[in-house]
Amino acid sequence: MTQQTVDRRQFIVSVALAAGGMALGIVPAAARERAGAQGPWATDDPGATELSPWIEIARDNTVTFLVPTPEIGNGAMTQAAMNITEELACDWSRVKVEFCSIRRNYMEHGVYDSGFLPFFGGHGTDKVRMHHELQLGASARERLRTAAAQHWGVPLATIEAKDSLLTHTPTGRRLTYGEVATAAAKVRLASEPKLKSPDQWTFLGKASPSKLNIPQIVTGKAVYGIDVQVPGMVYAALKQSPVQGGKLKSHKPEAVLGMPGVRAVVVIDREKTPGTPVPGKATWGYSTNQLQSGVAVIADHYWQAKTALDALPVEWDAGPGAKWDTVEQIYGAARALHDRPGGKVLRESGNVDSVTDGRTVQGTYSTPYCENAAMEPLNGTAVVTKDGAEIWCPTQDLLQAYWVAIDESGMRPEKVRLHECYVGGAYGRRTQADDVRVVIAIAREYPGVAVKTIWSREECFQQGRYRTPITTQFKAVLDERGYPRAVTGKAVFVGTHPLFQLPLGYSDVPYFTSGIIPNVRLSAASLPVNILDGAFRGPCYNSHAFLVETFIDECAAAAGIDPLEYRLHLVSRWDKSWGDCLRVAAEKAAWGRPLPPGEGRGIAITSWPNGAIHNFGTIICAVAHVKVTRRGELEVKQLDYAFDCGRVANHDAVRAQIQGGAIFGMNVALNEQLTVKAGEIVERNFDHYPMLRLGDKLPQVNVHFDALSGYKRWDIIGESPVGPVGPAIGNAIFRATGKRLRTTPFRDHDLSWT
Amino acid sequence: MTAVRLRVNGAEHEVDADSSTPLLWVLRDHLGLTGTKYGCGIGECGACTVHLDGTPVRSCMLRLATLAGADVVTIEGLSDKGGHVLQRLWAEMNVPQCGYCQAGMLMAAAGLLKRNAHPSEDDIDAAISNICRCGTYPRIRAAILRAADAGSAPEAGSPEKS
Ligand code: FES
Ligand code: FES
């Protein structure tokens, strides 16, 4: 048994020794530990034995891939490694993966830039990047083969590469990749090797490996942003204007500066943002991530910082946002825009005004504010000196974070080092880097010392960049068979930033674009408010899916036509996979088989990111089977999903995303809403923001692969499943109880029936 | 500030910190054991679950002042090298997504298996009240059931002793 006495000073000293000089890049690159000891990020300098900035092979045959995609839980990091492995023919059990240095990307002119949103967490199988990664693997393999052929002085054609071994086939002599890696690094190929065709793949689409970082996760060793340890590090606790858009009026630092461990009280003020010294390349720009007025306490330990912050006298000037007494007032103002002229027409065909006779179905459908509520609270660590800035953060988009760090530090890009950590959930919240900006703004006020800023859970809730609430008024005029002859829709987005007012899942749905409904007019307007919106898993799609699919279900009910049959007709002029997804999900869910009173099935189909493009994105259908007691208690018994993303590169990863997305979307539909009081968000922690748990009788989630079209694409999965689950459950509740739910969360509705 | 002696993962520590500091922050900030996670700070989410004298507890709710002589096991001490049957199954069954909640889930699950080597689905649902935003619940339940089938779950590879 060891006897250890830990106090703060000793702790810092021992961490400094253990960490071996990680901070600031003061220590030469060679002395830095490889990642793993401190975190999942690669060094900022080229490795000695790398074959390319993406691939390093060590003497002991370990292969390390340096990849640009963050790991937010969807396996994008592992997928990148799988893509390279397919062509490199290396031994998967010896593969390691790290996050690339985004500074290197700048210094080496885009070595990690490839594909759509190359530094974004959601695209492990992006077409262009996947091709690039396969090519990198193939090139490296050919260089290894060449090096082996040269080593033995034999023809290249006699060398076989497999499982990180190079075999001279006539003699059976062998070399490991590690043994020839240094020589291979010097080989230049005359031309790039040709890639295998997808039918020749032996790993992608065949194997379903678990995520590479799971061994670290289950032992507590995975370094998330909040876990970063930097020598001499101190902590900051943060409070920004509780009414978003408000300003710090006054505070009394002297009241807390004498408290234990407290070092400083700093003010966060956007007037102090220096701005980038060179033209920036931020993925999403800077307007979505400006500083909000606030104050932070810096102390030796987080608990001291938080305790002092709670004791700090602060007064706020709430600003115009305080006029919203309740969230209902906001939604009422949004609904008032339905009948007012104006707004933008997103899609128009035929002439809806000319269709006057026929049965009319009309309704207003709405979704509320929700908080992303990633389990890892927002955080980040930064040290700013006059010579540079170094940041450790869990971002969803390295490029965005890097340029926001440059903008907020005012340093030239080469002086900014940013290290990606594992991301403890994000669902869009960590795309804009407003968090990174705050972390740097605080560290800049306390220069020369690494400051880890942690948002309390309460601060996360109050300072969200929330799901955009949408309210849509739909009207259909049905023809004599019961199908819409005309559809009019007007969506009102609550919020200010156009980036978060997306029509996806609304004006791109084949019902409205394929011509099956001859007269369509879909428009949109927006209501500006002080509350900031942002990206929420499948931005806006997660709302439109509910609004559109509830409305269409209501049309089917009015027409007296089975909702499956109704949808099959409405997608019949579009890609076959829409019908396939509907049929597979329905069949697997035993659609049409009689159920006892109080039970029902509901169906919904959606696609992300754009249903109006042929053979694109992920088309996904959910069937929900619910049971509602007479007293109105809801149980979702089963969910059946069928989908088409073209092809699948890792079956279990896709299954996991759909299972998890189903529960995420179900929670949104059943439970989630934020309310407002005098301009402030009321719900501040999970005690007032219910989350599904194991004890909530979770449904069986069945994921069916039978609707896959095999079309040559491996499209994105993570967003799609949150779309259809809410409306499928709502439509099932209608079948079970006769009650039509036009708003979420469902827990607000009385579901009792007789 | 008074120094408090407690045992963490088998090693004696004397922690010199404000007595109001929750065990969660003692572990993370003072002892450098960052495997235990902060999720809510109010006992709701379970991300901070550790074993106190052999029983799963939410470490954000326990103040240092009350912990003199306590015996604490964190995720870092659940097994020698990740060899606990649950850790192995978590990897094999690809349970975690973002993984942030999983240390707490594992500590809660390991605690359950210790009390009840063969939990039913209902036992699991009743015992594990942790939050997972990624929605990994079905896999967590499946992995615990498999661990129970494997039998003698709690001992496998675990140095944890009381
Ligand atoms: S952090 Fe302790 S229960 Fe959430
Ligand atoms: S795995 Fe992400 S919160 Fe549970």
Side-chain angles (χ1 to χ4, degrees), chain A residues 6 210-211 218 224 226-227 302 304 372 375 427 457 652 656 659 672 685 692-693, chain B residues 18 28-29 37-40 44 87 91 96-98 100 129 133-134 137 139:
Chain A
V6 179
S210 296
K211 282 186 289 294
V218 300
Y224 296 85
I226 203 168
D227 302 330
Y302 178 68
Q304 295 170 327
N372 302 56
M375 292 312 297
Y427 325 103
R457 176 57 65 191
D652 193 56
Q659 288 170 334
E672 294 185 43
N685 210 323
L692 289 170
R693 306 174 195 230
Chain B
D18 309 323
R28 291 183 55 83
D29 284 9
K37 300 300 193 233
Y38 166 55
C40 69
E44 277 284 328
Q87 288 169 312
Q97 288 193 25
C98 80
Y100 192 79
S129 58
R133 181 56 151 165
C134 295
Y137 301 117
R139 288 183 187 226

mmCIF file of all heavy atoms in Angstrom, chain A residues 6 210-211 218 224 226-227 302 304 372 375 427 457 652 656 659 672 685 692-693, chain B residues 18 28-29 37-40 44 87 91 96-98 100 129 133-134 137 139:
data_model
loop_
_atom_site.group_PDB
_atom_site.id
_atom_site.type_symbol
_atom_site.label_atom_id
_atom_site.label_comp_id
_atom_site.label_asym_id
_atom_site.label_seq_id
_atom_site.Cartn_x
_atom_site.Cartn_y
_atom_site.Cartn_z
ATOM 1 N N VAL A 6 -1.104 14.468 -1.051
ATOM 2 C CA VAL A 6 -1.249 15.329 -2.219
ATOM 3 C C VAL A 6 -1.685 16.708 -1.790
ATOM 4 O O VAL A 6 -2.698 16.866 -1.130
ATOM 5 C CB VAL A 6 -2.302 14.757 -3.196
ATOM 6 C CG1 VAL A 6 -2.449 15.674 -4.398
ATOM 7 C CG2 VAL A 6 -1.882 13.372 -3.642
ATOM 8 N N SER A 210 -15.475 -2.643 -33.587
ATOM 9 C CA SER A 210 -15.870 -1.647 -32.595
ATOM 10 C C SER A 210 -14.975 -0.425 -32.739
ATOM 11 O O SER A 210 -13.897 -0.498 -33.324
ATOM 12 C CB SER A 210 -15.719 -2.212 -31.187
ATOM 13 O OG SER A 210 -16.598 -3.287 -30.982
ATOM 14 N N LYS A 211 -15.414 0.664 -32.158
ATOM 15 C CA LYS A 211 -14.605 1.890 -32.233
ATOM 16 C C LYS A 211 -13.249 1.676 -31.570
ATOM 17 O O LYS A 211 -13.141 1.044 -30.528
ATOM 18 C CB LYS A 211 -15.344 3.048 -31.561
ATOM 19 C CG LYS A 211 -16.440 3.621 -32.438
ATOM 20 C CD LYS A 211 -17.065 4.853 -31.834
ATOM 21 C CE LYS A 211 -17.924 4.536 -30.628
ATOM 22 N NZ LYS A 211 -19.110 3.748 -30.952
ATOM 23 N N VAL A 218 -13.436 2.584 -21.623
ATOM 24 C CA VAL A 218 -13.906 1.731 -20.525
ATOM 25 C C VAL A 218 -12.928 1.660 -19.355
ATOM 26 O O VAL A 218 -13.268 1.132 -18.303
ATOM 27 C CB VAL A 218 -14.262 0.299 -21.004
ATOM 28 C CG1 VAL A 218 -15.370 0.348 -22.042
ATOM 29 C CG2 VAL A 218 -13.040 -0.449 -21.540
ATOM 30 N N TYR A 224 -11.138 13.338 -22.802
ATOM 31 C CA TYR A 224 -12.118 14.295 -23.334
ATOM 32 C C TYR A 224 -11.581 15.693 -23.035
ATOM 33 O O TYR A 224 -10.648 15.857 -22.220
ATOM 34 C CB TYR A 224 -13.469 14.083 -22.660
ATOM 35 C CG TYR A 224 -14.069 12.730 -22.964
ATOM 36 C CD1 TYR A 224 -13.733 11.603 -22.226
ATOM 37 C CD2 TYR A 224 -14.963 12.573 -24.030
ATOM 38 C CE1 TYR A 224 -14.249 10.352 -22.536
ATOM 39 C CE2 TYR A 224 -15.486 11.330 -24.344
ATOM 40 C CZ TYR A 224 -15.137 10.221 -23.588
ATOM 41 O OH TYR A 224 -15.649 8.991 -23.906
ATOM 42 N N ILE A 226 -12.612 17.945 -21.165
ATOM 43 C CA ILE A 226 -12.679 18.298 -19.741
ATOM 44 C C ILE A 226 -11.584 17.610 -18.925
ATOM 45 O O ILE A 226 -11.305 18.004 -17.801
ATOM 46 C CB ILE A 226 -14.096 17.967 -19.197
ATOM 47 C CG1 ILE A 226 -14.425 18.793 -17.961
ATOM 48 C CG2 ILE A 226 -14.247 16.485 -18.958
ATOM 49 C CD1 ILE A 226 -15.901 18.728 -17.559
ATOM 50 N N ASP A 227 -10.932 16.605 -19.518
ATOM 51 C CA ASP A 227 -9.925 15.821 -18.794
ATOM 52 C C ASP A 227 -8.493 16.294 -19.033
ATOM 53 O O ASP A 227 -7.558 15.738 -18.448
ATOM 54 C CB ASP A 227 -10.001 14.344 -19.222
ATOM 55 C CG ASP A 227 -11.372 13.750 -18.988
ATOM 56 O OD1 ASP A 227 -12.050 14.190 -18.043
ATOM 57 O OD2 ASP A 227 -11.769 12.853 -19.763
ATOM 58 N N TYR A 302 -11.360 23.879 -9.693
ATOM 59 C CA TYR A 302 -12.673 24.224 -10.241
ATOM 60 C C TYR A 302 -13.678 24.514 -9.132
ATOM 61 O O TYR A 302 -14.469 25.450 -9.226
ATOM 62 C CB TYR A 302 -13.201 23.104 -11.152
ATOM 63 C CG TYR A 302 -14.579 23.447 -11.679
ATOM 64 C CD1 TYR A 302 -14.738 24.501 -12.578
ATOM 65 C CD2 TYR A 302 -15.719 22.767 -11.242
ATOM 66 C CE1 TYR A 302 -16.004 24.859 -13.038
ATOM 67 C CE2 TYR A 302 -16.977 23.121 -11.698
ATOM 68 C CZ TYR A 302 -17.117 24.164 -12.596
ATOM 69 O OH TYR A 302 -18.364 24.521 -13.040
ATOM 70 N N GLN A 304 -13.292 25.702 -6.232
ATOM 71 C CA GLN A 304 -13.063 27.038 -5.660
ATOM 72 C C GLN A 304 -13.585 28.116 -6.611
ATOM 73 O O GLN A 304 -14.214 29.096 -6.187
ATOM 74 C CB GLN A 304 -11.561 27.250 -5.427
ATOM 75 C CG GLN A 304 -10.982 26.301 -4.388
ATOM 76 C CD GLN A 304 -9.464 26.340 -4.343
ATOM 77 O OE1 GLN A 304 -8.802 26.555 -5.373
ATOM 78 N NE2 GLN A 304 -8.905 26.128 -3.161
ATOM 79 N N ASN A 372 -29.202 20.771 -26.579
ATOM 80 C CA ASN A 372 -28.440 19.619 -27.039
ATOM 81 C C ASN A 372 -28.084 18.674 -25.886
ATOM 82 O O ASN A 372 -28.106 17.465 -26.050
ATOM 83 C CB ASN A 372 -27.152 20.055 -27.733
ATOM 84 C CG ASN A 372 -27.425 20.974 -28.911
ATOM 85 O OD1 ASN A 372 -28.073 22.006 -28.754
ATOM 86 N ND2 ASN A 372 -26.965 20.612 -30.078
ATOM 87 N N MET A 375 -23.561 15.099 -22.699
ATOM 88 C CA MET A 375 -23.214 14.766 -21.314
ATOM 89 C C MET A 375 -21.918 15.445 -20.866
ATOM 90 O O MET A 375 -21.738 15.719 -19.691
ATOM 91 C CB MET A 375 -23.112 13.245 -21.134
ATOM 92 C CG MET A 375 -24.435 12.504 -21.249
ATOM 93 S SD MET A 375 -25.774 13.236 -20.266
ATOM 94 C CE MET A 375 -25.118 13.018 -18.624
ATOM 95 N N TYR A 427 -23.942 16.736 -30.828
ATOM 96 C CA TYR A 427 -25.221 16.815 -31.540
ATOM 97 C C TYR A 427 -25.422 18.192 -32.168
ATOM 98 O O TYR A 427 -26.522 18.725 -32.191
ATOM 99 C CB TYR A 427 -26.379 16.441 -30.597
ATOM 100 C CG TYR A 427 -26.000 15.374 -29.604
ATOM 101 C CD1 TYR A 427 -25.721 15.683 -28.281
ATOM 102 C CD2 TYR A 427 -25.830 14.051 -30.028
ATOM 103 C CE1 TYR A 427 -25.299 14.714 -27.388
ATOM 104 C CE2 TYR A 427 -25.413 13.081 -29.148
ATOM 105 C CZ TYR A 427 -25.147 13.408 -27.823
ATOM 106 O OH TYR A 427 -24.728 12.458 -26.949
ATOM 107 N N ARG A 457 -23.349 22.695 -15.607
ATOM 108 C CA ARG A 457 -24.508 22.208 -16.361
ATOM 109 C C ARG A 457 -25.558 23.310 -16.492
ATOM 110 O O ARG A 457 -26.186 23.475 -17.532
ATOM 111 C CB ARG A 457 -25.107 20.962 -15.687
ATOM 112 C CG ARG A 457 -26.376 20.435 -16.332
ATOM 113 C CD ARG A 457 -26.202 20.084 -17.808
ATOM 114 N NE ARG A 457 -25.276 18.986 -18.003
ATOM 115 C CZ ARG A 457 -24.789 18.625 -19.196
ATOM 116 N NH1 ARG A 457 -25.138 19.266 -20.290
ATOM 117 N NH2 ARG A 457 -23.927 17.625 -19.281
ATOM 118 N N ASP A 652 -22.336 -2.584 -37.911
ATOM 119 C CA ASP A 652 -22.670 -2.381 -36.503
ATOM 120 C C ASP A 652 -22.621 -0.898 -36.133
ATOM 121 O O ASP A 652 -23.404 -0.437 -35.299
ATOM 122 C CB ASP A 652 -21.724 -3.177 -35.592
ATOM 123 C CG ASP A 652 -22.262 -3.207 -34.176
ATOM 124 O OD1 ASP A 652 -23.419 -3.659 -34.006
ATOM 125 O OD2 ASP A 652 -21.558 -2.756 -33.265
ATOM 126 N N ALA A 656 -25.756 1.040 -34.561
ATOM 127 C CA ALA A 656 -25.632 1.798 -33.309
ATOM 128 C C ALA A 656 -26.146 3.226 -33.479
ATOM 129 O O ALA A 656 -26.819 3.769 -32.593
ATOM 130 C CB ALA A 656 -24.166 1.819 -32.849
ATOM 131 N N GLN A 659 -29.995 3.018 -33.628
ATOM 132 C CA GLN A 659 -30.551 2.722 -32.291
ATOM 133 C C GLN A 659 -30.474 3.955 -31.388
ATOM 134 O O GLN A 659 -31.449 4.329 -30.740
ATOM 135 C CB GLN A 659 -29.765 1.585 -31.620
ATOM 136 C CG GLN A 659 -30.014 0.216 -32.219
ATOM 137 C CD GLN A 659 -29.036 -0.828 -31.676
ATOM 138 O OE1 GLN A 659 -27.922 -0.511 -31.246
ATOM 139 N NE2 GLN A 659 -29.455 -2.088 -31.717
ATOM 140 N N GLU A 672 -38.854 16.711 -24.375
ATOM 141 C CA GLU A 672 -38.005 17.905 -24.323
ATOM 142 C C GLU A 672 -38.703 19.206 -24.660
ATOM 143 O O GLU A 672 -39.371 19.317 -25.689
ATOM 144 C CB GLU A 672 -36.804 17.720 -25.257
ATOM 145 C CG GLU A 672 -35.887 16.616 -24.775
ATOM 146 C CD GLU A 672 -34.637 16.481 -25.611
ATOM 147 O OE1 GLU A 672 -34.036 17.509 -25.959
ATOM 148 O OE2 GLU A 672 -34.278 15.331 -25.924
ATOM 149 N N ASN A 685 -31.155 22.158 -15.446
ATOM 150 C CA ASN A 685 -30.435 20.909 -15.201
ATOM 151 C C ASN A 685 -31.398 19.759 -15.498
ATOM 152 O O ASN A 685 -32.571 19.990 -15.827
ATOM 153 C CB ASN A 685 -29.886 20.851 -13.764
ATOM 154 C CG ASN A 685 -28.600 20.019 -13.684
ATOM 155 O OD1 ASN A 685 -28.448 19.007 -14.363
ATOM 156 N ND2 ASN A 685 -27.672 20.466 -12.849
ATOM 157 N N LEU A 692 -34.863 10.159 -21.091
ATOM 158 C CA LEU A 692 -35.189 8.741 -20.992
ATOM 159 C C LEU A 692 -34.041 8.006 -20.318
ATOM 160 O O LEU A 692 -32.879 8.326 -20.523
ATOM 161 C CB LEU A 692 -35.408 8.158 -22.390
ATOM 162 C CG LEU A 692 -36.683 8.600 -23.107
ATOM 163 C CD1 LEU A 692 -36.638 8.147 -24.561
ATOM 164 C CD2 LEU A 692 -37.929 8.063 -22.415
ATOM 165 N N ARG A 693 -34.417 7.029 -19.515
ATOM 166 C CA ARG A 693 -33.420 6.173 -18.856
ATOM 167 C C ARG A 693 -33.861 4.728 -18.998
ATOM 168 O O ARG A 693 -34.985 4.461 -19.432
ATOM 169 C CB ARG A 693 -33.312 6.533 -17.371
ATOM 170 C CG ARG A 693 -33.027 8.012 -17.158
ATOM 171 C CD ARG A 693 -33.068 8.362 -15.670
ATOM 172 N NE ARG A 693 -33.160 9.807 -15.505
ATOM 173 C CZ ARG A 693 -32.382 10.525 -14.713
ATOM 174 N NH1 ARG A 693 -31.465 9.949 -13.990
ATOM 175 N NH2 ARG A 693 -32.538 11.814 -14.623
ATOM 176 N N ASP B 18 -10.540 22.275 0.228
ATOM 177 C CA ASP B 18 -11.679 22.824 0.941
ATOM 178 C C ASP B 18 -12.616 21.683 1.318
ATOM 179 O O ASP B 18 -12.918 20.820 0.497
ATOM 180 C CB ASP B 18 -12.434 23.818 0.048
ATOM 181 C CG ASP B 18 -11.482 24.850 -0.559
ATOM 182 O OD1 ASP B 18 -10.538 25.257 0.133
ATOM 183 O OD2 ASP B 18 -11.682 25.222 -1.731
ATOM 184 N N ARG B 28 -10.983 14.330 -9.547
ATOM 185 C CA ARG B 28 -10.564 14.885 -10.842
ATOM 186 C C ARG B 28 -9.436 15.910 -10.715
ATOM 187 O O ARG B 28 -8.440 15.822 -11.421
ATOM 188 C CB ARG B 28 -11.763 15.534 -11.544
ATOM 189 C CG ARG B 28 -12.825 14.524 -12.010
ATOM 190 C CD ARG B 28 -13.938 15.229 -12.762
ATOM 191 N NE ARG B 28 -13.410 16.005 -13.861
ATOM 192 C CZ ARG B 28 -13.107 15.528 -15.070
ATOM 193 N NH1 ARG B 28 -13.333 14.258 -15.337
ATOM 194 N NH2 ARG B 28 -12.591 16.303 -15.999
ATOM 195 N N ASP B 29 -9.630 16.876 -9.814
ATOM 196 C CA ASP B 29 -8.671 17.988 -9.749
ATOM 197 C C ASP B 29 -7.506 17.713 -8.823
ATOM 198 O O ASP B 29 -6.397 18.159 -9.060
ATOM 199 C CB ASP B 29 -9.351 19.251 -9.203
ATOM 200 C CG ASP B 29 -10.236 19.925 -10.222
ATOM 201 O OD1 ASP B 29 -10.462 19.324 -11.290
ATOM 202 O OD2 ASP B 29 -10.700 21.042 -9.951
ATOM 203 N N LYS B 37 -16.604 11.298 -14.319
ATOM 204 C CA LYS B 37 -17.029 12.472 -15.088
ATOM 205 C C LYS B 37 -18.034 13.372 -14.373
ATOM 206 O O LYS B 37 -18.878 12.900 -13.602
ATOM 207 C CB LYS B 37 -17.658 12.014 -16.407
ATOM 208 C CG LYS B 37 -16.725 11.207 -17.302
ATOM 209 C CD LYS B 37 -15.485 11.975 -17.706
ATOM 210 C CE LYS B 37 -14.727 11.307 -18.828
ATOM 211 N NZ LYS B 37 -13.302 11.110 -18.505
ATOM 212 N N TYR B 38 -17.940 14.646 -14.703
ATOM 213 C CA TYR B 38 -18.942 15.636 -14.280
ATOM 214 C C TYR B 38 -20.011 15.732 -15.365
ATOM 215 O O TYR B 38 -19.690 15.976 -16.528
ATOM 216 C CB TYR B 38 -18.265 16.989 -14.103
ATOM 217 C CG TYR B 38 -19.206 18.174 -13.999
ATOM 218 C CD1 TYR B 38 -20.224 18.196 -13.040
ATOM 219 C CD2 TYR B 38 -19.087 19.263 -14.851
ATOM 220 C CE1 TYR B 38 -21.091 19.287 -12.945
ATOM 221 C CE2 TYR B 38 -19.945 20.365 -14.753
ATOM 222 C CZ TYR B 38 -20.943 20.370 -13.799
ATOM 223 O OH TYR B 38 -21.795 21.438 -13.710
ATOM 224 N N GLY B 39 -21.275 15.538 -14.968
ATOM 225 C CA GLY B 39 -22.351 15.668 -15.937
ATOM 226 C C GLY B 39 -23.412 16.657 -15.514
ATOM 227 O O GLY B 39 -23.963 17.380 -16.335
ATOM 228 N N CYS B 40 -23.725 16.686 -14.204
ATOM 229 C CA CYS B 40 -24.814 17.565 -13.764
ATOM 230 C C CYS B 40 -24.521 18.218 -12.418
ATOM 231 O O CYS B 40 -25.009 19.295 -12.129
ATOM 232 C CB CYS B 40 -26.125 16.776 -13.674
ATOM 233 S SG CYS B 40 -26.139 15.559 -12.339
ATOM 234 N N GLU B 44 -28.205 13.742 -10.630
ATOM 235 C CA GLU B 44 -29.210 13.282 -11.583
ATOM 236 C C GLU B 44 -28.685 12.303 -12.632
ATOM 237 O O GLU B 44 -29.396 11.412 -13.052
ATOM 238 C CB GLU B 44 -29.812 14.488 -12.326
ATOM 239 C CG GLU B 44 -30.930 15.193 -11.591
ATOM 240 C CD GLU B 44 -32.240 14.407 -11.647
ATOM 241 O OE1 GLU B 44 -32.478 13.714 -12.649
ATOM 242 O OE2 GLU B 44 -33.005 14.513 -10.684
ATOM 243 N N GLN B 87 -16.063 -4.540 -18.871
ATOM 244 C CA GLN B 87 -15.197 -3.747 -19.754
ATOM 245 C C GLN B 87 -14.944 -4.495 -21.059
ATOM 246 O O GLN B 87 -14.963 -3.911 -22.136
ATOM 247 C CB GLN B 87 -13.871 -3.424 -19.053
ATOM 248 C CG GLN B 87 -14.039 -2.391 -17.936
ATOM 249 C CD GLN B 87 -12.792 -2.260 -17.080
ATOM 250 O OE1 GLN B 87 -12.220 -3.261 -16.641
ATOM 251 N NE2 GLN B 87 -12.368 -1.033 -16.829
ATOM 252 N N ALA B 91 -16.453 -3.427 -24.963
ATOM 253 C CA ALA B 91 -15.674 -3.272 -26.196
ATOM 254 C C ALA B 91 -16.198 -4.217 -27.269
ATOM 255 O O ALA B 91 -16.431 -3.817 -28.409
ATOM 256 C CB ALA B 91 -14.199 -3.532 -25.916
ATOM 257 N N PRO B 96 -20.264 1.845 -26.131
ATOM 258 C CA PRO B 96 -20.220 3.315 -26.052
ATOM 259 C C PRO B 96 -20.393 3.987 -27.407
ATOM 260 O O PRO B 96 -19.958 3.457 -28.423
ATOM 261 C CB PRO B 96 -18.805 3.609 -25.522
ATOM 262 C CG PRO B 96 -18.295 2.335 -24.966
ATOM 263 C CD PRO B 96 -18.970 1.247 -25.753
ATOM 264 N N GLN B 97 -21.016 5.148 -27.374
ATOM 265 C CA GLN B 97 -20.956 6.026 -28.544
ATOM 266 C C GLN B 97 -19.934 7.115 -28.205
ATOM 267 O O GLN B 97 -18.745 6.884 -28.316
ATOM 268 C CB GLN B 97 -22.330 6.525 -28.919
ATOM 269 C CG GLN B 97 -23.143 5.373 -29.533
ATOM 270 C CD GLN B 97 -24.410 5.803 -30.231
ATOM 271 O OE1 GLN B 97 -24.559 6.924 -30.686
ATOM 272 N NE2 GLN B 97 -25.356 4.892 -30.319
ATOM 273 N N CYS B 98 -20.382 8.270 -27.720
ATOM 274 C CA CYS B 98 -19.361 9.263 -27.351
ATOM 275 C C CYS B 98 -18.549 8.773 -26.159
ATOM 276 O O CYS B 98 -17.410 9.156 -25.971
ATOM 277 C CB CYS B 98 -19.989 10.626 -27.061
ATOM 278 S SG CYS B 98 -20.720 10.782 -25.421
ATOM 279 N N TYR B 100 -18.883 9.299 -22.942
ATOM 280 C CA TYR B 100 -18.706 10.155 -21.770
ATOM 281 C C TYR B 100 -19.431 9.612 -20.541
ATOM 282 O O TYR B 100 -18.955 9.722 -19.429
ATOM 283 C CB TYR B 100 -19.174 11.573 -22.086
ATOM 284 C CG TYR B 100 -18.781 12.592 -21.041
ATOM 285 C CD1 TYR B 100 -17.487 13.104 -21.006
ATOM 286 C CD2 TYR B 100 -19.685 13.037 -20.082
ATOM 287 C CE1 TYR B 100 -17.106 14.037 -20.059
ATOM 288 C CE2 TYR B 100 -19.320 13.971 -19.127
ATOM 289 C CZ TYR B 100 -18.024 14.465 -19.116
ATOM 290 O OH TYR B 100 -17.660 15.392 -18.173
ATOM 291 N N SER B 129 -29.881 4.059 -13.231
ATOM 292 C CA SER B 129 -30.675 5.249 -13.537
ATOM 293 C C SER B 129 -29.820 6.347 -14.167
ATOM 294 O O SER B 129 -30.200 7.506 -14.193
ATOM 295 C CB SER B 129 -31.346 5.764 -12.263
ATOM 296 O OG SER B 129 -30.351 6.046 -11.300
ATOM 297 N N ARG B 133 -27.061 10.369 -23.230
ATOM 298 C CA ARG B 133 -27.691 11.177 -24.278
ATOM 299 C C ARG B 133 -27.580 10.506 -25.647
ATOM 300 O O ARG B 133 -28.395 10.715 -26.525
ATOM 301 C CB ARG B 133 -27.044 12.564 -24.297
ATOM 302 C CG ARG B 133 -27.613 13.534 -25.333
ATOM 303 C CD ARG B 133 -29.112 13.720 -25.197
ATOM 304 N NE ARG B 133 -29.555 15.027 -25.645
ATOM 305 C CZ ARG B 133 -30.832 15.318 -25.904
ATOM 306 N NH1 ARG B 133 -31.767 14.379 -25.760
ATOM 307 N NH2 ARG B 133 -31.181 16.530 -26.281
ATOM 308 N N CYS B 134 -26.523 9.702 -25.825
ATOM 309 C CA CYS B 134 -26.345 9.025 -27.104
ATOM 310 C C CYS B 134 -27.329 7.870 -27.290
ATOM 311 O O CYS B 134 -27.447 7.328 -28.381
ATOM 312 C CB CYS B 134 -24.931 8.488 -27.240
ATOM 313 S SG CYS B 134 -23.669 9.779 -27.292
ATOM 314 N N TYR B 137 -28.591 2.726 -24.246
ATOM 315 C CA TYR B 137 -29.256 1.866 -23.244
ATOM 316 C C TYR B 137 -29.454 0.413 -23.679
ATOM 317 O O TYR B 137 -29.192 -0.505 -22.896
ATOM 318 C CB TYR B 137 -30.608 2.466 -22.855
ATOM 319 C CG TYR B 137 -30.548 3.854 -22.284
ATOM 320 C CD1 TYR B 137 -31.156 4.925 -22.943
ATOM 321 C CD2 TYR B 137 -29.899 4.114 -21.073
ATOM 322 C CE1 TYR B 137 -31.131 6.207 -22.419
ATOM 323 C CE2 TYR B 137 -29.868 5.397 -20.545
ATOM 324 C CZ TYR B 137 -30.484 6.442 -21.220
ATOM 325 O OH TYR B 137 -30.453 7.708 -20.706
ATOM 326 N N ARG B 139 -27.832 -1.495 -25.618
ATOM 327 C CA ARG B 139 -26.573 -2.255 -25.600
ATOM 328 C C ARG B 139 -26.055 -2.428 -24.181
ATOM 329 O O ARG B 139 -25.451 -3.450 -23.848
ATOM 330 C CB ARG B 139 -25.528 -1.570 -26.472
ATOM 331 C CG ARG B 139 -25.866 -1.728 -27.950
ATOM 332 C CD ARG B 139 -24.821 -1.128 -28.846
ATOM 333 N NE ARG B 139 -25.320 -1.189 -30.222
ATOM 334 C CZ ARG B 139 -24.619 -1.595 -31.260
ATOM 335 N NH1 ARG B 139 -23.354 -1.934 -31.120
ATOM 336 N NH2 ARG B 139 -25.163 -1.647 -32.456
#
